[in-house]
Amino acid sequence: GAVVSQHPSWVICKSGTSVKIECRSLDFQATTMFWYRQFPKQSLMLMATSNEGSKATYEQGVEKDKFLINHASLTLSTLTVTSAHPEDSSFYICSAWTGNRQPQHFGDGTRLSIL
Amino acid sequence: GQQLNQSPQSMFIQEGEDVSMNCTSSSIFNTWLWYKQDPGEGPVLLIALYKAGELTSNGRLTAQFGITRKDSFLNISASIPSDVGIYFCAGQSLNAGGTSYGKLTFGQGTILTVHP
């Protein structure tokens, strides 16, 4: 149980392109989904918290117009990196949370490379 | 933002050896979690701890929730090559109402290398 599917697993695209990443909880409904960014050999850095049907809450320093988050249902959240540039290249990971003291369950991440 | 102090940063051990890593915090947490991340993948939950003093095992893994609620350790016994990866501790705290927003504070990670 507690499977989180993230798609695509990797993407390479040209500078200026917008890229959409999907995060789905397959066998449970998630109250909240979280989006992280991770640089090589570093810890996870929280970008934003997403609750179904409401606007995402962004961490300090994260541009909300750059990283658009949509949480249309209790099983799906999407992160769109708009007008991506090489500095946006990174490993993006989502997680899903059912609430209270339950642990977050993570997707397998998306490797984004902007040329 | 706030981070947990996780140590050691890296470990190089021989297959069969035991491993110990820990996390400390200046703040109290109500839940401690230990995750393992393989290269190119997302973190996978190993052990969740919910009560101060709690000692929980998952196969060769054992973790404890410190009595002060400000620390936790993870032990791996008789390491094998597939134990290689990055191990993260994470703490979750409750808000004033006694519920959780779910946000986690992560340690910096421990990179484990196991030589056959």
Side-chain angles (χ1 to χ4, degrees):
Chain A
V3 178
V4 177
S5 174
Q6 190 170 338
H7 179 80
S9 55
W10 61 272
V11 58
I12 302 173
C13 57
K14 293 181 180 179
S15 185
T17 307
S18 291
V19 179
K20 180 186 283 188
I21 303 170
E22 288 189 351
C23 182
R24 294 180 184 272
S25 55
L26 297 186
D27 51 359
F28 65 101
Q29 291 186 326
T31 306
T32 304
M33 289 186 175
F34 299 87
W35 287 95
Y36 296 85
R37 185 172 180 176
Q38 186 180 33
F39 293 104
K41 296 189 178 181
Q42 292 190 22
S43 190
L44 285 72
M45 182 181 73
L46 181 65
M47 299 174 65
T49 302
S50 169
N51 291 298
E52 183 261 342
S54 59
K55 287 184 179 180
T57 302
Y58 290 82
E59 296 298 302
Q60 192 172 10
V62 178
E63 300 175 58
K64 58 180 69 174
D65 294 330
K66 174 74 168 176
F67 300 99
L68 299 179
I69 292 173
N70 183 272
H71 197 151
S73 75
L74 286 172
T75 60
L76 174 63
S77 176
T78 60
L79 167 68
T80 301
V81 184
T82 62
S83 186
H85 292 285
E87 59 265 28
D88 298 322
S89 298
S90 191
F91 192 54
Y92 293 86
I93 310 174
C94 71
S95 72
W97 180 61
T98 56
N100 206 2
R101 300 182 73 184
Q102 294 303 306
Q104 292 181 25
H105 295 281
F106 289 85
D108 272 342
T110 297
R111 171 75 55 197
L112 176 62
S113 296
I114 309 298
L115 304 177
Chain B
Q2 181 188 13
Q3 264 205 331
L4 300 177
N5 294 314
Q6 184 171 349
S7 64
Q9 288 188 338
S10 61
M11 299 183 75
F12 298 84
I13 62 171
Q14 291 291 132
E15 183 177 359
E17 290 184 357
D18 297 342
V19 172
S20 184
M21 58 192 79
N22 70 84
C23 278
T24 60
S25 170
S26 57
S27 306
I28 288 173
F29 288 103
N30 296 93
T31 300
W32 281 91
L33 305 166
W34 284 92
Y35 290 90
K36 182 194 177 198
Q37 185 178 27
D38 290 329
E41 298 184 11
V44 173
L45 180 68
L46 298 175
I47 292 179
L49 302 159
Y50 298 104
K51 287 174 61 176
E54 179 182 355
L55 183 71
T56 298
S57 293
N58 178 7
R60 293 178 296 106
L61 278 60
T62 302
Q64 184 158 33
F65 191 144
I67 201 74
T68 64
R69 294 197 286 165
K70 294 183 178 181
D71 63 297
S72 177
F73 72 74
L74 174 71
N75 288 340
I76 305 173
S77 63
S79 59
I80 59 178
S82 62
D83 290 333
V84 165
I86 305 178
Y87 291 80
F88 290 102
C89 61
Q92 186 182 97
S93 53
L94 301 180
N95 59 26
T99 58
S100 173
Y101 294 121
K103 284 177 69 171
L104 296 178
T105 301
F106 280 90
Q108 301 97 324
T110 296
I111 301 171
L112 179 63
T113 303
V114 180
H115 294 288

